[in-house]
Amino acid sequence: MRDKVMAGPRHVAIIMDGNGRWATQRGRLRLFGHHAGARRVREIVRACPDIGVKYLTIFAFSTENWKRTQTEVAGLMSLFRRYIMREAKALFEEGVRVRFIGDRIKLDEKLVRMMDDLELMTADNSKVHLTIALNYGGRDEVARATKRLAREVKAGKIDPESVDGETLARYLDTWLLPDPDLVIRTSGEARISNFLLWQSAYAEYEFIDTLWPDFTQDIFAQIVGNYAERDRRFGAVPA
């Protein structure tokens, strides 16, 4: 019999898909769905301690999402600012540490200041580590990490012959975080959409039909519970 890792996932990453479709099904604008999705984030973060999830990473806005209509993009940026304003105090009081990953260059200065302030405010918290991927793309992250590493090599700080996978990982946005054990995508789409490409090399994936605004704490707990039944060998052959 193969040995199974009978522990739940320590780090769960979620591709929160389906907000727009959820709103369309109700005859509402797409932004209505995004607001509903933001409320769902609050519930899922609060559910983490009870089901043993220490790290939660959510995909809020990708580098490709700039292709959406100007109205939707502006609405999303406003939503991100509103989320930080409304949730900052509660996140701090509930022991949540917040980090943002992604390229901040294209984000407006006010939003970036709010992101910086929230990271600083929650820096000493450790009950749940919430990472929000904002203007994030996996390929973009690896490209930016490679540039930083190349500069260090050029400056003579790193021997190029010593560079390996662990070296590059230290230059990724997620260098302080463990790799995700489980990646969940909602809405019925079965693709990874350029999310945590490097970090998820050995993650388990769960693709579910539920649209993100309908993703409840009970569904989350069930998926996390089912994780313990998976056979994780990390490339090894069972004895």
Side-chain angles (χ1 to χ4, degrees):
M1 177 182 292
R2 294 175 180 175
D3 292 334
K4 293 180 182 287
V5 178
M6 299 304 291
R10 184 182 181 214
H11 183 177
V12 177
I14 304 179
I15 302 173
M16 308 179 296
D17 196 18
N19 291 335
R21 272 171 283 170
W22 185 87
T24 300
Q25 289 173 1
R26 288 157 178 77
R28 305 294 294 270
L29 296 175
R30 290 176 58 85
L31 282 172
F32 177 75
H34 293 307
H35 282 271
R39 292 192 294 273
R40 186 62 66 187
V41 169
R42 178 189 309 148
E43 298 177 20
I44 297 305
V45 172
R46 289 174 175 168
C48 285
D50 290 339
I51 59 177
V53 174
K54 187 73 172 179
Y55 296 86
L56 177 68
T57 300
I58 57 174
F59 203 3
F61 190 88
S62 78
T63 50
E64 290 74 36
N65 286 156
W66 296 103
K67 299 174 185 177
R68 297 185 178 185
T69 67
Q70 185 176 356
T71 299
E72 183 171 357
V73 170
L76 284 167
M77 294 301 155
S78 176
L79 175 60
F80 298 146
R81 291 191 294 269
R82 185 177 304 178
Y83 177 83
I84 293 174
M85 286 189 292
R86 290 185 174 182
E87 299 297 325
K89 183 178 179 181
L91 290 166
F92 171 74
E93 292 177 347
E94 293 171 16
V96 178
R97 177 167 188 175
V98 181
R99 295 181 177 91
F100 292 91
I101 59 174
D103 190 351
R104 304 188 186 192
I105 295 298
K106 290 185 68 173
L107 302 176
D108 70 72
E109 293 182 3
K110 180 178 179 181
L111 176 57
V112 172
R113 286 197 301 272
M114 295 175 72
M115 293 160 60
D116 290 341
D117 289 345
L118 183 56
E119 287 181 326
L120 182 61
M121 177 191 298
T122 62
D124 294 330
N125 288 349
S126 60
K127 189 174 183 180
V128 177
H129 294 258
L130 171 63
T131 303
I132 302 173
L134 189 55
N135 193 32
Y136 173 87
R139 288 181 175 180
D140 176 73
E141 178 190 27
V142 172
R144 288 186 286 105
T146 303
K147 288 179 183 178
R148 288 193 290 269
L149 175 57
R151 293 189 192 105
E152 298 283 273
V153 170
K154 183 178 180 180
K157 298 179 180 179
I158 296 177
D159 178 1
E161 296 302 320
S162 71
V163 174
D164 56 17
E166 292 184 3
T167 308
L168 181 59
R170 293 198 294 269
Y171 290 82
L172 296 173
D173 296 351
T174 56
W175 66 281
L176 287 171
L177 303 173
D179 288 341
D181 304 296
L182 174 65
V183 180
I184 302 169
R185 180 172 187 144
T186 60
S187 87
E189 302 291 348
R191 58 180 181 271
I192 59 177
S193 294
N194 199 20
F195 183 49
L196 299 178
L197 300 180
W198 181 281
Q199 300 87 340
S200 298
Y202 280 100
E204 297 292 314
Y205 277 82
E206 188 78 30
F207 299 103
I208 64 172
D209 292 333
T210 306
L211 301 177
W212 174 249
D214 293 326
F215 187 81
T216 64
Q217 294 183 30
D218 289 341
I219 295 173
F220 188 33
Q222 181 179 0
I223 293 173
V224 167
N226 291 342
Y227 171 90
E229 299 301 318
R230 299 200 178 199
D231 185 2
R232 308 195 73 209
R233 302 196 306 270
F234 300 96
V237 177

